[in-house]
């Protein structure tokens, strides 16, 4: 079972979905994970109906950080901003599907932090405090 998830993570890392930048994003934000050197930037375009109709991510870093960003873009594409806000730490960890230690957790949640901090206006979100959820 673990192998499936590991392969899936490597596949997203090697063939990232929605990688790049948008020309006219309505929302854009970048965050850094200094512990690992990961950088993730997410561009969103939200249409008049409040639906995320375009999403791109860009960045560099370890496989976990890049793969989780790639998975996240697939999860939020086509959702409303409100629906995307419901995405939790558990959703990301479930998509990754492997056990993530405390250090790797920052890698795994970096892309979600970009959304929370830059796009939902929660600049102090770290994912570490239960109150953040
Ligand atoms: Zn990392």
């Amino acid at each position: 079972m673990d192998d499936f998830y590991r392969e899936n993570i490597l596949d997203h890392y090697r063939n990232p979905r929605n990688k790049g930048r948008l020309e006219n994003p309505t929302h854009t934000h970048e965050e850094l994970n200094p512990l690992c050197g990961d950088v993730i930037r997410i561009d969103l375009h939200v249409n008049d109906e409040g639906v995320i109709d375009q999403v791109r991510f860009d960045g560099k870093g370890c496989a976990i950080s890049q793969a989780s960003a790639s998975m996240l873009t697939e999860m939020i594409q086509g959702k409303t901003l409100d629906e995307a806000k419901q995405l939790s730490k558990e959703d990301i960890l479930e998509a990754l599907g492997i056990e993530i230690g405390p250090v790797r957790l920052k890698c795994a949640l970096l892309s979600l932090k970009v959304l929370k901090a830059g796009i939902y206006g929660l600049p102090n979100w770290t994912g570490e405090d239960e109150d953040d959820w």
Side-chain angles (χ1 to χ4, degrees), residues 33 36 38 61-62 65 104 107:
N33 169 20
C36 183
D38 309 316
C62 67
S65 68
R104 287 290 172 193
C107 303

Side-chain angles (χ1 to χ4, degrees), residues 66 69 105 115 119 130:
Q66 304 304 304
L105 197 58
L115 281 188
I119 293 164
E130 283 301 315

Side-chain angles (χ1 to χ4, degrees), residues 17-22 41-44 54-58 73 77:
R17 324 299 199 260
N18 303 307
K19 183 112 191 245
R21 300 205 169 179
L22 292 180
R41 169 198 163 110
I42 295 179
D43 289 352
L44 289 186
Q54 297 175 69
V55 53
R56 294 284 183 280
F57 86 97
D58 202 0
T73 62
Q77 168 103 46

Side-chain angles (χ1 to χ4, degrees), residues 45-51 53:
H45 185 272
V46 178
N47 68 16
D48 292 341
E49 281 84 52
V51 173
D53 58 0

